[in-house]
Amino acid sequence: MSHHFVRFENVHYTYPNGYEALRGVSFCVTHGQKVALVGTNGAGKSTLLLHINGLLLPTKGSVVVGGVPVERKTLPLVRQSVGLVFQNPDDQLFMPTVEEDVAFGPSNMGLPAVEIERRVEEALGAVGALALRQRAPYHLSGGQKKSVSIATVLSMEPAVLVLDEPTSNLDPQARRAIIRLIRTFSHTCLMATHDMEMVWELCERTLVMREGELVADGSTTSIFEDEALLERCGLEPPYALWRESHETQEEGAECFAEALSAETR
Ligand SMILES: Nc1ncnc2c1ncn2[C@@H]1O[C@H](COP(=O)(O)OP(=O)(O)OP(=O)(O)O)[C@@H](O)[C@H]1O
Ligand SMILES: [Mg+2]
């Protein structure tokens, strides 16, 4: 469990229609890091995440998870350690009831019934969705589906948690439950998101994508302080930081105006 790093080396991916969505992406996430992947719509975040559990395989370059190269023949092994929550929960939920969906992974692992039950309870509890246990997934709201789809992955107790837009569609309490859960997750976690407040709160490191390329990789603080980078990549810092910098600028402008009027008096 202790070496679940994720390494991309010069990864290119071209969709069957010829669109090159990843253009030479390289990075390495070490065990236990919480890393955000940010970028505008269409930057290539989901495409990148789908490579971590081999749902997409690179056209060129390589992906290695915990020392195992992600290839067709290693997929069962890779998927034992990587839990991927899709951007669209409808891609994740397919059983008649929520509890069957959450139990699906542990059942496939051949775990005893009592352990499956423990995992279902724990995973649904962690996302605040225990009350939905008996419900049909296709009758749930968008946010409820999102929470349940995260539970289906948590029940597998993955060593690498990959989340595509974990807080989209969630109400404030459900969002807070997911943030709490990610904070307590002690293994590797990589998440694509537009929720910059969450990035600021949770992730020590941020990767920035633009048109299929990784254009920045650094501490979240350094990324959010780089106004030129944010502007170039169509991003905004979290509101708290934005306000701080604007208040500082406004204060600066007020001081300047005062000094100017004192001088001209
Ligand atoms: N199946 C596909 N066939 C062809 N092109 C695709 C396919 N899926 C995605 N793309 C294209 O690849 C690029 C990257 O898409 P991707 O879904 O990875 O972006 P994203 O960064 O996750 O965006 P968002 O923030 O909207 O989720 C986009 O230009 C998209 O149109
Ligand atoms: Mg996406």
Side-chain angles (χ1 to χ4, degrees):
M1 284 291 250
S2 63
H3 300 292
H4 284 104
F5 64 84
V6 175
R7 185 191 302 281
F8 275 54
E9 261 181 41
N10 192 29
V11 172
H12 289 252
Y13 182 76
T14 304
Y15 278 106
N17 70 353
Y19 185 80
E20 194 182 17
L22 296 183
R23 305 167 190 218
V25 172
S26 301
F27 67 90
C28 182
V29 173
T30 55
H31 180 259
Q33 273 191 331
K34 286 185 180 52
V35 179
L37 182 61
V38 303
T40 53
N41 294 134
K45 305 179 297 298
S46 297
T47 306
L48 187 156
L49 295 187
L50 292 171
H51 280 75
I52 302 178
N53 77 346
L55 273 167
L56 297 178
L57 295 170
T59 317
K60 192 177 144 197
S62 65
V63 178
V64 179
V65 176
V68 180
V70 182
E71 293 164 1
R72 218 166 292 280
K73 62 178 185 298
T74 62
L75 291 186
L77 187 59
V78 169
R79 288 177 188 166
Q80 274 174 23
S81 57
V82 178
L84 172 70
V85 178
F86 294 109
Q87 182 163 1
N88 181 356
D90 288 332
D91 293 337
Q92 201 117 30
L93 307 171
F94 48 87
M95 297 296 279
T97 64
V98 163
E99 66 178 0
E100 285 170 280
D101 252 327
V102 181
F104 184 82
S107 307
N108 269 355
M109 290 159 77
L111 296 174
V114 61
E115 173 64 8
I116 297 173
E117 172 56 23
R118 182 192 71 77
R119 290 192 180 202
V120 169
E121 282 247 338
E122 206 170 292
L124 283 173
V127 299
L130 268 171
L132 304 174
R133 257 192 101 122
Q134 310 294 341
R135 302 273 300 273
Y138 50 91
H139 285 157
L140 299 179
S141 74
Q144 289 172 325
K145 282 183 187 173
K146 192 84 207 184
S147 298
V148 170
S149 69
I150 293 173
T152 65
V153 166
L154 287 180
S155 65
M156 306 278 287
E157 299 190 348
V160 179
L161 183 59
V162 181
L163 302 158
D164 201 344
E165 304 287 353
T167 54
S168 63
N169 284 328
L170 297 187
D171 67 40
Q173 273 192 8
R175 175 177 174 276
R176 189 45 53 195
I178 299 305
I179 289 179
R180 218 175 290 129
L181 177 157
I182 299 171
R183 182 177 291 118
T184 53
F185 187 77
S186 59
H187 305 301
T188 310
C189 181
L190 189 61
M191 67 189 95
T193 185
H194 298 291
D195 184 343
M196 299 302 165
E197 264 68 28
M198 177 180 65
V199 172
W200 181 244
E201 230 182 285
L202 284 182
C203 302
E204 65 261 36
R205 179 175 166 200
T206 295
L207 310 179
V208 183
M209 289 197 76
R210 182 170 173 265
E211 294 175 6
E213 289 180 28
L214 199 58
V215 293
D217 175 358
S219 74
T220 297
T221 316
S222 69
I223 298 289
F224 283 143
E225 280 174 358
D226 189 340
E227 287 187 21
L229 170 77
L230 297 180
E231 177 72 27
R232 191 156 47 89
C233 298
L235 298 169
E236 284 185 354
Y239 181 65
L241 277 190
W242 180 89
R243 205 181 56 181
E244 209 174 85
S245 82
H246 281 68
E247 276 172 358
T248 315
Q249 276 172 21
E250 274 166 27
E251 279 166 20
E254 276 168 25
C255 288
F256 179 71
E258 269 173 33
L260 197 67
S261 82
E263 233 172 62
T264 51
R265 246 181 265 139

